[in-house]
Amino acid sequence: MNRHTVVFEPSGKKGDVQEGATLLEAAHELGDDIESVCGGKGVCGKCSVKIDEGLLASHGIEWSGQVLSPPADEEAELLSRRGLSSEYRLACQARVLGDVAVFVPEASRRSRQLIRKSTIERTIPVRPAIRKYYLELSPPTLSDVTADYERLITELRRSSGLEEVIIDYAVLKDLSHILRSADWKVTLTVWKGREIVRVEPGYVDGSYGLAVDIGTTTVAGYLCDLQTGEVLATDGMLNPQMAYGEDVISRISHTMKEPDGLAGLNRAIVDGIGELVVSITGQLDLTPGDISEMTVVGNTAMHHIFLNLDPVCLAKSPFAPTVSGSLDVKARELGLTLEQSTNVHVLPVEAGFVGADNVGVLIAEEPYNQEEMVLIIDIGTNGELVMGSRDRLLCASCATGPAFEGATIEFGMRAAPGAIERVRIDRESLEVQFKVIGSDEWNTVSSSVKAKGICGSGVIEAVAEMVKAGIIEKGGRFSRKLASSRLITAEDGPAFIIAWANETALGQDITVSIEDVRAVQLAKGAMYAGARILMDRLGITGLDKIILAGAFGSYVSKEHALAIGLFPQCAPEKVYSVGNAAGEGARLALVSVDKRREAEQIARKVEYVELTVEPRFHEYFIEALSFPVPSVLSKP
Ligand code: FES
């Protein structure tokens, strides 16, 4: 039989195939990767390709007219339903009759690329753990009484090549009913090529996953298209465990003091995620049952409580977690309101205080693939630090206290409407300009959103501006040389008025007191000293790049943070805010099994440094309590 040349672009795969082979068969033979959910039955439309005469010419091959079998009516209909012109064909239906060149669009490629822009641009192959297969089975007859499950597996093996596949028990229980009611045409969802986790009637398009970042304060969800890797919807909520305490330690204490303490905290987060699932799927007219897989990151305490593991081990030296590797757990085991058989992948943790959220940050930012010496800071109640490059990576956790989240500050509050987030102080007059979250205007008495307190980024700016204006001296004391009606002596010592009573919703002045300055000094001292210890361990004296992760990192002014010495000096243009990198890591793990592997490897490779036992920590901490001379502050 004749053979003809087939060229696939953009892969450039080229070769001779037998006349009469389908383009899908030709692609498999020549090593091109075309999507095919229905196994070549002409149902899913995923294998649509464009026939391009021009491409053929560029390969020096002549167009000879009828190079493919003509489309049947069903094929033409399906293509036009998908809005594709007559230049397109279903690769599984078009048979090769002559030399032909085929362009495989991104949407029809099995290995798609996700382009990520962060501090460096990179592409990640989209390879989710789940994949759908459409099957048409022949029903049993008196002469063929093969059981339903064996019938299904045999057809799946035949059409997909998957050999060792099992079925989730909950799915098996419904199998017989679904097969018969769907006239033996079903779509299977297969997890990691080895377990059938769903059987749906007919052909079902689209697969969705949910990435969840469980923070101590907030929970963020990202609903993703598992075929393209794109985020389709996002949602967030306050962590319902807040009712049991604002920080990790108070929640762990709750589990120790109350007989049902762990159960209550676990229920709170599981129910909270249930609400998040409903609201996020509702944004796209989907249901919780449409979620095919979920990934989760969180600090070690949130990780343990979500998994219903006793977190007490995290509060007692030597702080060894119950488990550090990644886990795959069924939704039903966790009590989540997803399909019972849905897999929940929990990323690994690094050490007692450095959790799966930090692993998420690592796989999002990939410092282990960079030449540059990078410091990544994730600031929450704890400051988590990762420093290094492709050669070596260290991590540490410093007890910064909750000052940067607005707690322990007299007028501190979380970053919410009414929180002062920006502050400027005139060096001569000591007059203050401030801006609150929820209003674009700098303070006006008539503003509709009045100040209610100061959030973490506002505290940093206020203190940095007070240093710049000479109100706070190098050691942290208030200057006695300056005179201003804003400088007052309160019960606990000197304070500076940031907002007058008539500019606030509280009916009283909002101040920054000497105690607040102390809290900032302690927090920044811990952070700075932690970074210095890691630099010593790596034998370096400078950093090429600083990455600020987390919500706080997104709002904080890097110039002000550098000015108070929150972290070692670095050129301001080399300090980047990357937003919720932990959540981004959860999304990447959701859409890429390669990223899961990377997470597992890097969690074991990164070296944990326990700062409290480092001999020089105290020395650096004391050194870092003072305020460096500011040089790069900007004007409003
Ligand atoms: Fe499904 Fe071609 S593989 S239509």
Side-chain angles (χ1 to χ4, degrees):
M1 202 181 267
N2 290 340
R3 292 180 72 83
H4 303 287
T5 303
V6 182
V7 183
F8 290 100
E9 292 289 8
S11 70
K13 297 274 177 358
K14 177 179 173 181
D16 290 348
V17 301
Q18 201 81 262
E19 183 170 296
T22 66
L23 287 177
L24 191 61
E25 288 162 351
H28 288 164
E29 200 177 319
L30 301 178
D32 202 88
D33 211 9
I34 295 181
E35 184 60 284
S36 120
V37 172
C38 71
K41 293 190 182 59
V43 175
C44 68
K46 298 285 183 201
C47 64
S48 313
V49 293
K50 192 173 176 204
I51 309 307
D52 195 322
E53 202 179 318
L55 278 179
L56 199 61
S58 71
H59 282 268
I61 304 171
E62 242 177 68
W63 183 259
S64 61
Q66 179 88 7
V67 293
L68 293 172
S69 59
D73 291 349
E74 293 82 4
E75 182 188 341
E77 247 170 57
L78 199 156
L79 288 168
S80 97
R81 267 206 313 278
R82 293 176 75 89
L84 298 174
S85 69
S86 58
E87 290 170 306
Y88 284 83
R89 294 295 308 270
L90 294 179
C92 67
Q93 302 299 306
R95 292 188 182 276
V96 176
L97 302 179
D99 297 346
V100 61
V102 177
F103 180 78
V104 185
E106 179 69 24
S108 300
R109 277 179 228 150
R110 188 172 286 182
S111 26
R112 292 197 211 162
Q113 300 288 316
L114 185 68
I115 298 170
R116 287 203 62 240
K117 282 203 181 102
S118 183
T119 56
I120 52 168
E121 186 173 311
R122 68 208 92 175
T123 52
I124 292 156
V126 178
R127 296 212 308 127
I130 69 114
R131 186 163 152 67
K132 286 195 163 175
Y133 296 89
Y134 172 73
L135 300 183
E136 292 180 2
L137 309 179
S138 43
T141 61
L142 283 177
S143 57
D144 174 12
V145 287
T146 308
D148 295 349
Y149 172 55
E150 280 70 20
R151 187 175 296 274
L152 187 79
I153 290 289
T154 306
E155 178 57 22
L156 179 64
R157 270 196 201 122
R158 196 200 57 73
S159 62
S160 68
L162 296 178
E163 281 300 329
E164 302 295 327
V165 187
I166 56 169
I167 189 164
D168 182 274
Y169 174 62
V171 180
L172 180 66
K173 284 202 292 185
D174 282 340
L175 182 64
S176 159
H177 168 70
I178 293 180
L179 286 176
R180 283 164 182 79
S181 64
D183 197 21
W184 303 88
K185 296 182 178 121
V186 287
T187 302
L188 311 188
T189 302
V190 180
W191 180 73
K192 283 198 160 179
R194 59 175 192 246
E195 186 182 24
I196 299 168
V197 291
R198 190 161 314 171
V199 179
E200 296 169 275
Y203 172 69
V204 181
D205 205 358
S207 36
Y208 308 94
L210 183 69
V212 177
D213 171 21
I214 309 175
T216 311
T217 309
T218 53
V219 181
Y222 305 86
L223 180 62
C224 301
D225 182 325
L226 292 181
Q227 284 164 359
T228 63
E230 279 170 36
V231 176
L232 302 173
T234 59
D235 210 341
M237 68 190 306
L238 267 187
N239 187 329
Q241 296 173 346
M242 289 288 278
Y244 298 87
E246 296 217 347
D247 57 48
V248 162
I249 296 300
S250 51
R251 291 190 208 160
I252 297 178
S253 317
H254 178 82
T255 68
M256 292 161 80
K257 282 194 220 127
E258 302 297 326
D260 291 326
L262 174 58
L265 281 171
N266 172 261
R267 200 65 254 159
I269 188 61
V270 166
D271 289 350
I273 291 175
E275 284 169 34
L276 187 74
V277 168
V278 170
S279 77
I280 203 166
T281 49
Q283 289 182 37
L284 294 177
D285 280 338
L286 299 173
T287 66
D290 290 313
I291 303 284
S292 295
E293 206 189 16
M294 183 168 139
T295 50
V296 175
V297 296
N299 62 50
T300 326
M302 295 303 103
H303 163 281
H304 274 49
I305 295 171
F306 170 67
L307 290 166
N308 217 353
L309 302 175
D310 193 341
V312 172
C313 53
L314 306 174
K316 289 186 184 157
S317 180
F319 313 110
T322 303
V323 57
S324 59
S326 64
L327 292 171
D328 288 298
V329 188
K330 295 281 183 187
R332 60 173 167 257
E333 306 284 353
L334 298 167
L336 286 164
T337 50
L338 302 171
E339 283 285 324
Q340 294 185 35
S341 53
T342 304
N343 183 61
V344 179
H345 179 83
V346 184
L347 271 77
V349 304
E350 289 163 31
F353 281 119
V354 187
D357 51 351
N358 202 254
V359 175
V361 171
L362 284 177
I363 60 167
E365 289 307 317
E366 297 179 20
Y368 42 83
N369 285 334
Q370 298 179 39
E371 295 286 351
E372 290 176 303
M373 192 53 72
V374 186
L375 167 62
I376 303 176
I377 305 179
D378 196 350
I379 307 170
T381 314
N382 265 348
E384 286 176 1
L385 306 175
V386 176
M387 190 183 289
S389 63
R390 68 166 74 234
D391 300 325
R392 192 179 174 198
L393 268 187
L394 304 180
C395 73
S397 173
C398 16
T400 53
F404 296 144
E405 293 195 320
T408 68
I409 300 289
E410 192 180 350
F411 288 94
M413 65 179 283
R414 273 195 299 279
I420 294 174
E421 57 164 352
R422 298 267 168 263
V423 177
R424 296 293 182 273
I425 300 174
D426 186 273
R427 273 188 217 209
E428 303 298 323
S429 65
L430 303 192
E431 274 314 298
V432 178
Q433 283 183 278
F434 65 82
K435 205 174 88 50
V436 299
I437 295 176
S439 168
D440 290 335
E441 296 168 281
W442 287 77
N443 51 313
T444 67
V445 176
S446 61
S447 172
S448 57
V449 187
K450 290 210 181 283
K452 292 181 188 155
I454 313 181
C455 66
S457 61
V459 169
I460 298 238
E461 290 204 6
V463 171
E465 290 280 326
M466 285 164 74
V467 171
K468 178 178 78 159
I471 300 164
I472 299 172
E473 295 174 343
K474 199 165 185 263
R477 290 219 178 86
F478 275 52
S479 166
R480 290 168 193 269
K481 295 180 211 137
L482 297 173
S484 161
S485 54
R486 288 182 181 266
L487 271 167
I488 58 168
T489 304
E491 260 177 37
D492 297 333
F496 184 75
I497 298 173
I498 299 291
W500 296 108
N502 64 347
E503 296 170 320
T504 75
L506 310 175
Q508 68 178 113
D509 299 337
I510 290 178
T511 60
V512 171
S513 69
I514 184 86
E515 291 301 320
D516 297 339
V517 175
R518 288 275 172 271
V520 169
Q521 278 181 296
L522 296 179
K524 72 149 186 142
M527 185 81 82
Y528 190 98
R532 283 292 305 275
I533 293 285
L534 297 188
M535 288 170 78
D536 282 0
R537 282 280 190 107
L538 290 168
I540 56 168
T541 52
L543 295 160
D544 298 319
K545 184 155 95 172
I546 294 177
I547 296 175
L548 304 175
F552 174 80
S554 303
Y555 296 116
V556 73
S557 142
K558 53 194 182 186
E559 287 84 1
H560 289 88
L562 279 165
I564 65 161
L566 187 59
F567 31 77
Q569 282 298 323
C570 182
E573 65 276 12
K574 290 298 221 170
V575 181
Y576 303 88
S577 294
V578 293
N580 186 359
E584 177 65 0
R587 168 176 79 123
L588 295 175
L590 180 67
V591 302
S592 161
V593 286
D594 306 305
K595 276 291 186 187
R596 290 184 198 184
R597 248 192 315 274
E598 215 170 287
E600 200 66 65
Q601 285 161 359
I602 199 62
R604 305 285 75 88
K605 193 176 154 203
V606 63
E607 299 165 46
Y608 177 66
V609 178
E610 178 55 57
L611 294 174
T612 52
V613 299
E614 285 288 323
R616 298 199 73 182
F617 183 80
H618 192 65
E619 180 193 328
Y620 287 146
F621 178 71
I622 298 294
E623 228 178 82
L625 291 179
S626 69
F627 290 103
V629 179
S631 56
V632 283
L633 298 177
S634 57
K635 292 214 157 38

